[in-house]
């Protein structure tokens, strides 16, 4: 392999690695309208980065329910699709219910009983392609009922001034 090809290969790999390392995707809104899975529950993600992120490269979501120390196995879902730079990505529990409730289309329907189907007292996490938690809502192992991270009958929205995951 020529020296110039090796240099280009290293530049490509470094750029790809840095793009994954600094992908700034985080949750901006979680919903439990009317405390009902019939009303189109969803979780909204936002890409604050300057590059599109291919979520199908191993990104996942998971949810802890009822104060369990471990994530609920059925809630761990692979993400698909691309979230554009500066764009939003909606994960819903039912595409038809989401459309009927909000008049729009969700980007990924992951079904009921999972990550996007919280009754408002669960804890959720977004995991990047390496499996690391890049954003978290709530406290794993703690039932959110009556805490600052309860959103039953409503929604939790990240403050507009918060521009990164936490």
């Amino acid at each position: 392999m020529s020296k110039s090809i090796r240099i280009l290969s290293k530049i490509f790999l470094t750029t790809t690695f840095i793009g994954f390392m600094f992908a700034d995707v985080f949750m901006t809104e979680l919903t439990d309208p009317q405390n009902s899975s019939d009303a189109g529950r969803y979780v909204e993600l936002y890409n604050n980065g300057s590059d599109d992120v291919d979520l199908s490269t191993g990104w996942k979501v998971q949810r802890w329910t009822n104060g369990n120390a471990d994530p609920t196995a059925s809630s761990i879902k692979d993400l698909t699709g691309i979230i554009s730079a500066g764009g939003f990505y909606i994960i819903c529990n039912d595409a038809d219910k989401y459309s009927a409730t909000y008049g729009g289309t969700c980007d990924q329907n992951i079904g009921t009983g999972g990550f996007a189907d919280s009754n408002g007292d669960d804890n959720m996490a977004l995991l990047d392609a390496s499996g690391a938690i890049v954003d978290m809502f709530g406290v794993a192992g703690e039932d959110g009922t009556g805490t600052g991270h309860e959103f039953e009958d409503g929604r939790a929205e990240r403050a507009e001034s918060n521009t990164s995951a936490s």
Side-chain angles (χ1 to χ4, degrees), residues 4-6 10 46 60 62 68 78 80 138 145:
S4 61
I5 291 176
R6 280 187 294 214
K10 286 180 182 179
Y46 177 67
K60 296 180 184 304
Q62 64 187 29
N68 291 315
D78 293 324
T80 61
T145 303

Side-chain angles (χ1 to χ4, degrees), residues 104-148:
T105 303
C106 68
D107 296 292
Q108 185 173 349
N109 176 356
I110 61 173
T112 59
F115 175 79
D117 199 26
S118 175
N119 64 354
D121 64 356
D122 299 322
N123 308 295
M124 279 89 114
L126 172 67
L127 290 75
D128 67 12
S130 74
I133 294 176
V134 295
D135 197 18
M136 176 94 182
F137 178 82
V139 178
E142 177 180 283
D143 187 317
T145 303
T147 69

Side-chain angles (χ1 to χ4, degrees):
M1 186 182 320
S2 75
K3 185 176 180 179
S4 61
I5 291 176
R6 280 187 294 214
I7 291 171
L8 288 175
S9 294
K10 286 180 182 179
I11 290 171
F12 173 76
L13 289 174
T14 302
T15 304
T16 301
F17 178 71
I18 289 171
F20 283 117
M21 255 181 65
F22 295 108
D24 204 2
V25 178
F26 55 93
M27 294 179 280
T28 51
E29 187 172 16
L30 309 119
T31 65
D32 176 39
Q34 306 160 6
N35 193 24
S36 170
S37 63
D38 291 333
R41 292 173 173 160
Y42 69 91
V43 175
E44 177 185 81
L45 304 180
Y46 177 67
N47 178 0
N48 195 38
S50 57
D51 294 316
D52 295 351
V53 174
D54 183 355
L55 298 171
S56 67
T57 60
W59 287 73
K60 296 180 184 304
V61 291
Q62 64 187 29
R63 173 177 81 151
W64 290 258
T65 59
N66 304 319
N68 291 315
D70 296 318
T72 306
S74 63
S75 77
I76 301 170
K77 300 289 182 181
D78 293 324
L79 295 179
T80 61
I82 294 175
I83 182 169
S84 60
F88 292 92
Y89 188 89
I90 306 293
I91 304 165
C92 68
N93 69 336
D94 184 290
D96 292 336
K97 292 175 186 176
Y98 179 86
S99 179
T101 304
Y102 305 104
T105 303
C106 68
D107 296 292
Q108 185 173 349
N109 176 356
I110 61 173
T112 59
F115 175 79
D117 199 26
S118 175
N119 64 354
D121 64 356
D122 299 322
N123 308 295
M124 279 89 114
L126 172 67
L127 290 75
D128 67 12
S130 74
I133 294 176
V134 295
D135 197 18
M136 176 94 182
F137 178 82
V139 178
E142 177 180 283
D143 187 317
T145 303
T147 69
H149 58 89
E150 178 179 32
F151 58 99
E152 185 176 347
D153 291 330
R155 66 191 182 113
E157 184 175 349
R158 191 176 297 268
E160 185 178 347
S161 60
N162 193 337
T163 58
S164 64
S166 59

